[in-house]
Amino acid sequence: MSVNETVLREEPEPLASAQYSWGGEMTLVHTIVETLASATGQSPENLPPLHNAVDVDALESIFGPRGNGQHRPVTGEISFLVEEHEIVVKSHGRVLVRPAE
């Protein structure tokens, strides 16, 4: 393989996805939990707490709007594992749940 070749990892199809609206009525945590519940067929109450897998306040502060309501100029994604699922939160608000590899 040459230095200029890029190896692309095949991403598995999400089991469930949702679009989170920064500053909307539903919290990011609620969106993640509901999306994971949809992917697993479990009720949200039966899922393990998200704070066991990720700092949920950090997710909000990294991608969420500043205190004055201005959007942060941040792009990217954060992923973490909850049981046998990979949760991906993208800076534009997309939440994906995939099977963990």
Side-chain angles (χ1 to χ4, degrees), residues 14-88:
L15 300 171
S17 66
Q19 181 64 44
Y20 174 70
S21 175
W22 298 107
E25 291 183 22
M26 190 182 305
T27 67
L28 176 59
V29 171
H30 188 249
T31 302
I32 294 169
V33 169
E34 290 294 324
T35 308
L36 182 58
S38 174
T40 62
Q42 297 183 52
S43 71
E45 298 80 26
N46 291 334
L47 295 171
L50 282 185
H51 68 265
N52 290 345
V54 69
D55 183 334
V56 293
D57 292 332
L59 280 178
E60 290 278 356
S61 66
I62 291 170
F63 291 144
R66 295 181 173 144
N68 63 5
Q70 296 288 319
H71 287 287
R72 295 178 194 276
V74 175
T75 59
E77 65 185 43
I78 294 175
S79 64
F80 55 95
L81 297 176
V82 175
E83 294 184 337
E84 297 177 8
H85 297 88
E86 177 188 29
I87 312 296
V88 180

